[in-house]
mmCIF file of all heavy atoms in Angstrom:
data_model
loop_
_atom_site.group_PDB
_atom_site.id
_atom_site.type_symbol
_atom_site.label_atom_id
_atom_site.label_comp_id
_atom_site.label_asym_id
_atom_site.label_seq_id
_atom_site.Cartn_x
_atom_site.Cartn_y
_atom_site.Cartn_z
ATOM 1 N N ASP A 113 5.114 1.671 -15.312
ATOM 2 C CA ASP A 113 6.528 1.148 -15.380
ATOM 3 C C ASP A 113 6.581 -0.495 -15.305
ATOM 4 O O ASP A 113 7.375 -1.108 -15.883
ATOM 5 C CB ASP A 113 7.323 1.728 -14.264
ATOM 6 C CG ASP A 113 8.841 1.396 -14.389
ATOM 7 O OD1 ASP A 113 9.403 1.578 -15.477
ATOM 8 O OD2 ASP A 113 9.375 0.955 -13.537
ATOM 9 N N ALA A 114 5.523 -1.028 -14.580
ATOM 10 C CA ALA A 114 5.480 -2.440 -14.518
ATOM 11 C C ALA A 114 4.967 -2.997 -15.764
ATOM 12 O O ALA A 114 4.937 -4.259 -15.865
ATOM 13 C CB ALA A 114 4.550 -2.785 -13.302
ATOM 14 N N GLY A 115 4.591 -2.210 -16.613
ATOM 15 C CA GLY A 115 3.929 -2.719 -18.076
ATOM 16 C C GLY A 115 2.530 -2.802 -17.978
ATOM 17 O O GLY A 115 1.813 -3.394 -18.911
ATOM 18 N N VAL A 116 1.754 -2.443 -16.906
ATOM 19 C CA VAL A 116 0.401 -2.598 -16.922
ATOM 20 C C VAL A 116 -0.321 -1.369 -17.422
ATOM 21 O O VAL A 116 0.145 -0.233 -17.427
ATOM 22 C CB VAL A 116 -0.042 -2.725 -15.303
ATOM 23 C CG1 VAL A 116 -1.467 -2.751 -15.092
ATOM 24 C CG2 VAL A 116 0.751 -3.936 -14.740
ATOM 25 N N ILE A 117 -1.488 -1.606 -17.946
ATOM 26 C CA ILE A 117 -2.396 -0.505 -18.436
ATOM 27 C C ILE A 117 -3.189 -0.067 -17.163
ATOM 28 O O ILE A 117 -4.087 -0.795 -16.598
ATOM 29 C CB ILE A 117 -3.310 -1.020 -19.434
ATOM 30 C CG1 ILE A 117 -2.540 -1.421 -20.759
ATOM 31 C CG2 ILE A 117 -4.327 0.212 -19.873
ATOM 32 C CD1 ILE A 117 -3.414 -2.267 -21.756
ATOM 33 N N CYS A 118 -2.653 1.054 -16.673
ATOM 34 C CA CYS A 118 -3.317 1.534 -15.350
ATOM 35 C C CYS A 118 -4.495 2.426 -15.612
ATOM 36 O O CYS A 118 -4.298 3.487 -16.320
ATOM 37 C CB CYS A 118 -2.168 2.294 -14.558
ATOM 38 S SG CYS A 118 -2.730 2.760 -12.878
ATOM 39 N N ILE A 119 -5.608 2.109 -14.981
ATOM 40 C CA ILE A 119 -6.700 3.010 -15.230
ATOM 41 C C ILE A 119 -7.008 3.733 -13.950
ATOM 42 O O ILE A 119 -7.437 3.091 -12.951
ATOM 43 C CB ILE A 119 -8.056 2.099 -15.617
ATOM 44 C CG1 ILE A 119 -7.624 1.179 -16.820
ATOM 45 C CG2 ILE A 119 -9.206 3.020 -15.983
ATOM 46 C CD1 ILE A 119 -8.647 0.101 -16.999
ATOM 47 N N ALA A 120 -6.795 5.037 -13.935
ATOM 48 C CA ALA A 120 -6.966 5.942 -12.791
ATOM 49 C C ALA A 120 -8.377 6.680 -12.960
ATOM 50 O O ALA A 120 -8.587 7.386 -13.883
ATOM 51 C CB ALA A 120 -5.791 6.942 -12.593
ATOM 52 N N SER A 121 -9.251 6.432 -11.978
ATOM 53 C CA SER A 121 -10.676 7.087 -12.029
ATOM 54 C C SER A 121 -10.784 7.821 -10.811
ATOM 55 O O SER A 121 -11.087 7.333 -9.746
ATOM 56 C CB SER A 121 -11.809 6.100 -12.331
ATOM 57 O OG SER A 121 -11.594 4.994 -11.288
ATOM 58 N N LEU A 122 -10.605 9.156 -10.905
ATOM 59 C CA LEU A 122 -10.931 10.105 -9.737
ATOM 60 C C LEU A 122 -11.338 11.392 -10.267
ATOM 61 O O LEU A 122 -11.074 11.759 -11.410
ATOM 62 C CB LEU A 122 -9.664 10.106 -8.751
ATOM 63 C CG LEU A 122 -8.276 10.653 -9.241
ATOM 64 C CD1 LEU A 122 -7.517 11.064 -8.024
ATOM 65 C CD2 LEU A 122 -7.511 9.478 -9.989
ATOM 66 N N ILE A 123 -11.991 12.069 -9.442
ATOM 67 C CA ILE A 123 -12.574 13.364 -9.950
ATOM 68 C C ILE A 123 -11.381 14.250 -10.472
ATOM 69 O O ILE A 123 -11.448 14.842 -11.462
ATOM 70 C CB ILE A 123 -13.345 14.108 -8.817
ATOM 71 C CG1 ILE A 123 -14.574 13.384 -8.316
ATOM 72 C CG2 ILE A 123 -13.774 15.483 -9.282
ATOM 73 C CD1 ILE A 123 -15.297 14.035 -7.084
ATOM 74 N N SER A 124 -10.331 14.319 -9.795
ATOM 75 C CA SER A 124 -9.196 15.139 -10.108
ATOM 76 C C SER A 124 -9.600 16.406 -10.735
ATOM 77 O O SER A 124 -9.404 16.606 -11.896
ATOM 78 C CB SER A 124 -8.340 14.238 -10.966
ATOM 79 O OG SER A 124 -8.837 13.580 -12.014
ATOM 80 N N PRO A 125 -10.139 17.280 -9.902
ATOM 81 C CA PRO A 125 -10.786 18.588 -10.464
ATOM 82 C C PRO A 125 -9.850 19.601 -11.020
ATOM 83 O O PRO A 125 -10.307 20.534 -11.670
ATOM 84 C CB PRO A 125 -11.541 19.039 -9.279
ATOM 85 C CG PRO A 125 -10.875 18.609 -8.001
ATOM 86 C CD PRO A 125 -10.231 17.346 -8.466
#
Side-chain angles (χ1 to χ4, degrees):
D113 188 54
V116 174
I117 299 167
C118 183
I119 307 163
S121 50
L122 56 161
I123 297 178
S124 44

